[in-house]
Amino acid sequence: MNLQTSFSPVIPIAYLATASLAFYLLLNLPQRIRNVCFPILIVPAWRAFATFEYFTWPDSLDGIWGLAVMIWVAHIISLLYVDQIPSQSKSRKQWDMKAAYKLLFDVRHLSDGPETSLPAVSTSKSTLIAFVAYRLLKLIAYWLLTVHLFTPLIPLVFGPVEPWEFDQYAQTYLRRLPFFEAIEPVTLRETCIRVVFTFRWIWLSFVDIDAAHTFLSIMFVGLLQLDSPAEWPPMFGSPSKAFTIRRYWGRFWHRLVHKPYLSLAKIVAGRLCVPSLGHSAEKVFLAFLIFLISGLAHAMVSLQRGKLVEAVDDVAFYCVNFFVMATEGCVLGSAGPMRGLLPQWCWKIIGYVWVFTFWFWVAPKWSYSEVHGEMLKEIERQNRALGLGLFTGLLGGE
């Protein structure tokens, strides 16, 4: 690794720092000047996103950075141009750098309202040590499980796998069940691979985000000591609460995007006069827009990587999740009188099976193409290395 490559991640970080300084400036200016000076924020923010390919290790960091910047931009736009937060208030003086910093990355709005206000107390040294030690142990556990178990899990269980086992045809499942008399019906091996892949996909998706959050909490609480432990609560809820698709997204999965995307969704809904249709219609439409914006944000990352097909799949994935969640809500609403027929723990087990079945169906449709492409690239690299070795051998007279 040369020196230029070693320092290349500084480039997107520097762009984000520039955008952060622009936020500090705009926060302390009148609203009319903010509107005119919007480019001084969005240009470096866009460059912070567009240069995410400079993050080469770990492999998933570039995508996480790109999505994080998109969410952050939505958060800043919400503060400055939707909520139009004033340049000073009772709790914040103008040009107060510390108060501006607290707004800068509070994407979840943890300090909003009395029920979520964060106590302004000093943190003892022992508390900081315990905070950092626990999170370091968590990072080590994540690394060990990911590298030595979940990443090689499928080859460990099933032996060598071929690219065709993850191609476009393998993404389909239901229509290839035996009673549909498909030309190539699903096999037991294919079904087992999908089961293991689904668990692996959920784990890797969770760890990518939570490990990044854990690392940043160590940096800002333990090393820089800019924040208190209370300002870095867990990103995810308990998996035990995810016995419906709605609860999977609302109770287990992180809520990082909810408030910034909701602010943007309300603007769109207002322009389309959706609130006039009633509270229920507006609520459903806002939920749809949040999922759509999430899909578009993921699609922007895929497009930046030059992967148009994956960008379309990203939007489709989140739209499918919304429509399945809406259908689930209608079914559960109409099945209310039946809930007394079985104890609650039985319904929860049925719910867990349903949630896993949904991911078993949808996760390969979203991720198999990427796995297939990576396997083909690896085979191409091996073939090139083999060809180069043979060519070198011939030149050497062997």
Side-chain angles (χ1 to χ4, degrees):
M1 182 180 292
N2 58 41
L3 188 63
Q4 183 178 359
T5 304
S6 301
F7 285 96
S8 58
V10 174
I11 295 174
I13 295 174
Y15 278 125
L16 184 63
T18 305
S20 300
L21 290 175
F23 164 77
Y24 174 68
L25 175 63
L26 294 177
L27 176 65
N28 293 284
L29 294 176
Q31 189 63 44
R32 63 182 183 277
I33 301 180
R34 288 180 189 172
N35 297 335
V36 176
C37 296
F38 180 64
I40 71 170
L41 168 72
I42 201 63
V43 171
W46 172 255
R47 292 303 302 160
F49 168 80
T51 55
F52 68 68
E53 71 274 5
Y54 287 116
F55 292 105
T56 57
W57 186 88
D59 293 338
S60 58
L61 182 57
D62 58 343
I64 293 174
W65 174 271
L67 286 172
V69 171
M70 296 294 289
I71 297 168
W72 181 80
V73 170
H75 165 63
I76 297 302
I77 291 175
S78 173
L79 286 180
L80 295 178
Y81 299 101
V82 180
D83 299 336
Q84 297 188 1
I85 185 171
S87 58
Q88 58 182 331
S89 63
K90 293 181 180 179
S91 60
R92 191 187 76 255
K93 297 180 180 180
Q94 195 171 17
W95 305 107
D96 184 343
M97 185 169 289
K98 183 177 180 180
Y101 161 74
K102 293 300 181 181
L103 288 170
L104 185 63
F105 296 113
D106 187 15
V107 179
R108 289 190 281 176
H109 292 223
L110 296 173
S111 58
D112 286 358
E115 70 282 356
T116 56
S117 59
L118 301 173
V121 296
S122 59
T123 305
S124 65
K125 188 175 181 179
S126 59
T127 301
L128 286 178
I129 293 174
F131 179 89
V132 172
Y134 170 72
R135 279 152 183 78
L136 282 174
L137 289 174
K138 183 161 56 167
L139 285 179
I140 294 171
Y142 282 167
W143 179 78
L144 290 173
L145 288 171
T146 300
V147 172
H148 297 289
L149 178 59
F150 283 95
T151 298
L153 184 58
I154 291 178
L156 284 174
V157 176
F158 302 101
V161 290
E162 301 295 334
W164 60 264
E165 295 184 89
F166 300 92
D167 62 11
Q168 188 173 6
Y169 194 74
Q171 294 177 28
T172 61
Y173 188 85
L174 295 180
R175 73 188 77 169
R176 293 172 49 229
L177 290 172
F179 49 81
F180 284 120
E181 298 182 356
I183 298 175
E184 295 185 28
V186 296
T187 63
L188 178 61
R189 172 182 168 87
E190 178 183 359
T191 302
C192 292
I193 287 177
R194 286 177 75 102
V195 169
V196 174
F197 178 87
T198 302
F199 280 114
R200 175 183 179 273
W201 174 80
I202 293 173
W203 169 262
L204 294 178
S205 300
F206 162 79
V207 164
D208 281 347
I209 299 172
D210 201 51
H213 178 263
T214 302
F215 175 79
L216 291 175
S217 71
I218 294 172
M219 291 290 297
F220 284 90
V221 176
L223 298 181
L224 301 177
Q225 297 187 14
L226 294 173
D227 300 327
S228 68
E231 292 173 290
W232 288 83
M235 284 277 287
F236 292 85
S238 172
S240 64
K241 298 179 180 179
F243 49 86
T244 66
I245 300 300
R246 181 177 181 178
R247 293 177 68 91
Y248 180 94
W249 287 110
R251 299 294 184 87
F252 164 62
W253 203 248
H254 70 82
R255 304 276 289 172
L256 192 64
V257 306
H258 180 73
K259 285 189 176 291
Y261 287 1
L262 179 61
S263 293
L264 300 181
K266 285 182 177 180
I267 295 296
V268 176
R271 294 293 176 87
L272 297 176
C273 301
V274 174
S276 63
L277 301 177
H279 177 70
S280 297
E282 181 186 16
K283 186 177 180 180
V284 172
F285 187 74
L286 290 175
F288 168 71
L289 284 182
I290 290 172
F291 275 88
L292 178 61
I293 295 171
S294 297
L296 292 173
H298 282 79
M300 291 289 289
V301 174
S302 296
L303 287 174
Q304 185 64 27
R305 289 170 169 167
K307 299 179 179 180
L308 177 60
V309 175
E310 289 187 13
V312 175
D313 289 343
D314 290 335
V315 177
F317 171 81
Y318 281 93
C319 289
V320 166
N321 268 270
F322 167 77
F323 287 114
V324 169
M325 190 174 68
T327 303
E328 176 190 79
C330 293
V331 171
L332 290 176
S334 61
M338 298 177 58
R339 295 182 182 180
L341 299 178
L342 293 174
Q344 189 176 8
W345 64 268
C346 286
W347 288 117
K348 284 189 176 181
I349 291 175
I350 294 172
Y352 294 135
V353 172
W354 149 242
V355 171
F356 179 79
T357 301
F358 171 72
W359 291 124
F360 172 85
W361 171 68
V362 78
K365 289 182 175 294
W366 193 35
S367 300
Y368 263 20
S369 58
E370 184 177 0
V371 175
H372 181 252
E374 290 299 321
M375 292 185 71
L376 290 179
K377 287 180 182 179
E378 180 60 29
I379 291 175
E380 183 180 359
R381 283 192 292 266
Q382 293 175 359
N383 289 339
R384 286 182 177 178
L386 178 61
L388 181 61
L390 291 174
F391 180 69
T392 305
L394 289 173
L395 290 178
E398 297 179 3

